[in-house]
Amino acid sequence: YQFVDSEILINEALEEGLNVLAEGAQGSLLDVDFGTYPFVTSSNTVSAGCCIGLGISPKAIGRVYGIFKAYCTRVGSGPFPTELQDEVGHLMADRGHEFGAVTGRPRRCGWIDLVALRYTIMLSGVTHLIMMKSDVLDTLPTIKACVAYRIGDKEYKNMPYSLEANIEPIYQELPGWQTPLDGCRSEQELPDAFRHYVAFLEAQLRVPISIISVGPDRSQTIMRKLNNEL
């Protein structure tokens, strides 16, 4: 490898009109400042962290793609309000092959948490969403999504200051599609119930889902055309 002044190299590329893709390796809620402390890493994992890490100005950031799963997972300890320790949680882990890529530890699984997802979208200024592992939920008759938290007699739609309290997730239920998604190659081929799930998420999150993955192969990545962007 050739040693270079990477910050100069990247900024010169941007000035030439080239595209630079910066990929974050860890989830937003592991951010040392804004994550679920003390269950965090030692750096900033939100999108602004690339400015410090790469030496680029915030004004150089164009699109911010937020990658999330159609359900929720977590490795190791830490708060997880929507965690499922029943057969549905085990099904998600089994169908999703949910084991830590580095540690090999099994991931904890649960329903999608829109309170946490809205929070991370806000922190990183997400402009487009990418939904992964949609096919993991294929067999379920009912899909749940956490739209708010209840702590005592108070309801929270935003992330509360502390997650140490006994949090009761408030769910909205949607019909499952109960048909394999892994054979779909375009948005038009997706079942109506799944498309309804996508529309529900977009309405809740107020950010478009521009890419949907329905399997591990590159051909199972569906690019949605949104306002002539893709």
Side-chain angles (χ1 to χ4, degrees):
Y1 293 100
Q2 179 183 0
F3 288 98
V4 297
D5 290 323
S6 58
E7 65 275 22
I8 294 175
L9 182 70
I10 293 172
N11 278 283
E12 285 179 345
L14 291 170
E15 289 174 3
E16 292 173 12
L18 299 177
N19 292 322
V20 175
L21 176 64
E23 180 184 6
Q26 294 174 304
S28 295
L29 290 183
L30 294 178
D31 189 276
V32 66
D33 292 316
F34 299 101
T36 52
Y37 186 86
F39 307 100
V40 295
T41 188
S42 57
S43 61
N44 290 113
T45 61
V46 296
S47 65
C50 75
C51 296
I52 298 298
L54 299 178
I56 60 173
S57 164
K59 70 180 182 180
I61 296 177
R63 296 182 180 182
V64 178
Y65 291 91
I67 303 172
F68 73 104
K69 296 175 185 174
Y71 53 102
C72 199
T73 63
R74 181 160 194 154
V75 176
S77 302
F80 192 166
T82 64
E83 182 175 10
L84 296 172
Q85 296 178 324
D86 57 11
E87 65 276 7
V88 176
H90 294 313
L91 179 142
M92 291 175 177
D94 181 57
R95 287 180 56 88
H97 306 289
E98 295 294 354
F99 299 92
V102 176
T103 65
R105 287 184 296 176
R107 294 191 183 100
R108 301 153 62 194
C109 298
W111 297 117
I112 194 167
D113 185 339
L114 300 183
V115 178
L117 190 48
R118 280 193 295 261
Y119 179 66
T120 58
I121 287 171
M122 176 191 74
L123 289 177
S124 286
V126 171
T127 60
H128 298 73
L129 287 165
I130 300 173
M131 184 162 70
M132 311 296 293
K133 295 193 171 184
S134 306
D135 54 304
V136 171
L137 306 182
D138 280 355
T139 63
L140 298 175
T142 301
I143 309 294
K144 293 184 181 181
C146 173
V147 295
Y149 297 157
R150 182 176 289 112
I151 303 175
D153 58 355
K154 190 171 182 180
E155 186 174 311
Y156 294 83
K157 289 195 174 181
N158 294 316
M159 200 75 133
Y161 173 76
S162 174
L163 293 177
E164 296 177 357
N166 185 24
I167 294 176
E168 177 190 352
I170 300 173
Y171 289 114
Q172 184 160 334
E173 295 188 2
L174 297 97
W177 40 97
Q178 292 188 285
T179 185
L181 297 179
D182 57 2
C184 298
R185 294 296 181 271
S186 68
E187 186 175 0
Q188 290 69 33
E189 297 177 60
L190 297 168
D192 289 342
F194 177 75
R195 296 169 73 172
H196 176 67
Y197 182 58
V198 172
F200 166 78
L201 294 179
E202 289 183 318
Q204 288 284 319
L205 301 171
R206 298 182 181 178
V207 177
I209 298 174
S210 59
I211 300 175
I212 296 172
S213 172
V214 295
D217 192 80
R218 185 184 293 266
S219 67
Q220 294 171 302
T221 301
I222 297 174
M223 313 288 284
R224 300 179 70 211
K225 190 172 182 179
L226 303 170
N227 298 322
N228 297 319
E229 289 182 345
L230 295 175

